[in-house]
Amino acid sequence: MSEPPAGDRRRPVVTLPLIVAGVCLALPFGAMLWVGSYARLTPEFIGIPFFYWYQMLWVLISTALTTVAYVLVRRNERTRKGGEPR
Protein backbone atom coordinates (compact mmCIF):
# COMPACT_ATOMS: atom_id res chain seq x y z
CA MET A 1 0.00 0.00 0.00
CA SER A 2 1.13 3.52 -0.60
CA GLU A 3 1.57 6.12 2.09
CA PRO A 4 -1.04 8.89 2.33
CA PRO A 5 0.10 12.33 1.20
CA ALA A 6 1.91 14.39 3.86
CA GLY A 7 -0.94 16.93 4.05
CA ASP A 8 -3.62 14.25 4.45
CA ARG A 9 -4.23 14.15 8.21
CA ARG A 10 -7.08 11.73 8.76
CA ARG A 11 -8.58 11.25 12.15
CA PRO A 12 -8.78 7.71 13.54
CA VAL A 13 -12.06 5.94 12.84
CA VAL A 14 -12.24 4.34 16.28
CA THR A 15 -11.95 7.06 18.89
CA LEU A 16 -12.21 7.06 22.67
CA PRO A 17 -15.80 8.41 22.66
CA LEU A 18 -16.88 5.57 20.37
CA ILE A 19 -15.22 3.00 22.61
CA VAL A 20 -16.97 4.48 25.66
CA ALA A 21 -20.29 4.45 23.76
CA GLY A 22 -19.76 0.78 22.92
CA VAL A 23 -19.06 -0.05 26.55
CA CYS A 24 -22.21 1.86 27.59
CA LEU A 25 -24.26 -0.26 25.20
CA ALA A 26 -22.59 -3.54 26.19
CA LEU A 27 -22.94 -3.18 29.99
CA PRO A 28 -26.69 -3.91 30.17
CA PHE A 29 -26.26 -7.02 28.03
CA GLY A 30 -23.55 -8.34 30.30
CA ALA A 31 -25.56 -7.58 33.41
CA MET A 32 -28.67 -9.35 32.12
CA LEU A 33 -26.82 -12.34 30.66
CA TRP A 34 -25.09 -13.04 33.99
CA VAL A 35 -28.24 -14.57 35.48
CA GLY A 36 -26.44 -16.16 38.41
CA SER A 37 -25.77 -12.72 39.87
CA TYR A 38 -29.46 -11.92 40.35
CA ALA A 39 -31.32 -15.26 40.40
CA ARG A 40 -32.48 -14.97 44.02
CA LEU A 41 -35.37 -13.61 46.03
CA THR A 42 -33.58 -11.54 48.65
CA PRO A 43 -33.08 -8.71 49.40
CA GLU A 44 -36.59 -7.50 48.81
CA PHE A 45 -37.39 -3.88 47.99
CA ILE A 46 -40.84 -2.71 49.11
CA GLY A 47 -42.00 -6.31 48.99
CA ILE A 48 -40.65 -6.99 45.48
CA PRO A 49 -38.18 -9.90 45.19
CA PHE A 50 -34.63 -9.01 44.13
CA PHE A 51 -34.97 -10.88 40.84
CA TYR A 52 -37.65 -8.45 39.63
CA TRP A 53 -36.49 -5.11 41.00
CA TYR A 54 -32.93 -5.71 39.80
CA GLN A 55 -34.17 -6.17 36.24
CA MET A 56 -36.43 -3.11 36.46
CA LEU A 57 -33.49 -1.08 37.79
CA TRP A 58 -31.49 -2.09 34.71
CA VAL A 59 -34.27 -0.73 32.50
CA LEU A 60 -33.56 2.72 33.96
CA ILE A 61 -29.79 2.25 33.89
CA SER A 62 -29.96 1.05 30.27
CA THR A 63 -31.94 4.13 29.30
CA ALA A 64 -29.32 6.40 30.84
CA LEU A 65 -26.41 4.50 29.26
CA THR A 66 -28.09 4.51 25.83
CA THR A 67 -28.59 8.27 26.12
CA VAL A 68 -24.93 8.76 27.02
CA ALA A 69 -23.87 6.58 24.07
CA TYR A 70 -26.13 8.54 21.70
CA VAL A 71 -24.73 11.89 22.83
CA LEU A 72 -21.14 10.66 22.51
CA VAL A 73 -21.69 9.30 19.01
CA ARG A 74 -23.47 12.46 17.84
CA ARG A 75 -20.68 14.68 19.19
CA ASN A 76 -18.10 12.46 17.53
CA GLU A 77 -19.94 12.68 14.19
CA ARG A 78 -20.16 16.48 14.46
CA THR A 79 -16.45 16.72 15.27
CA ARG A 80 -15.50 14.49 12.34
CA LYS A 81 -17.56 16.62 9.96
CA GLY A 82 -15.78 19.74 11.18
CA GLY A 83 -18.64 21.23 13.19
CA GLU A 84 -18.36 22.48 16.71
CA PRO A 85 -19.51 20.05 19.41
CA ARG A 86 -22.22 21.43 21.69
Side-chain angles (χ1 to χ4, degrees):
M1 293 184 138
S2 63
E3 294 289 324
D8 187 17
R9 301 280 181 186
R10 294 185 183 183
R11 295 182 189 151
V13 176
V14 179
T15 60
L16 183 61
L18 292 180
I19 293 171
V20 172
V23 169
C24 286
L25 294 175
L27 277 174
F29 286 102
M32 291 293 95
L33 289 175
W34 186 22
V35 178
S37 70
Y38 63 90
R40 53 196 157 112
L41 298 175
T42 57
E44 290 185 357
F45 177 68
I46 59 171
I48 302 170
F50 180 76
F51 181 80
Y52 295 112
W53 69 258
Y54 178 82
Q55 291 181 23
M56 290 300 107
L57 179 63
W58 270 102
V59 169
L60 299 174
I61 293 170
S62 298
T63 302
L65 289 172
T66 302
T67 302
V68 168
Y70 175 78
V71 169
L72 289 172
V73 169
R74 293 293 295 186
R75 283 185 183 171
N76 188 58
E77 286 176 351
R78 251 185 260 123
T79 302
R80 287 185 63 80
K81 290 181 181 178
E84 286 294 317
R86 291 185 198 183

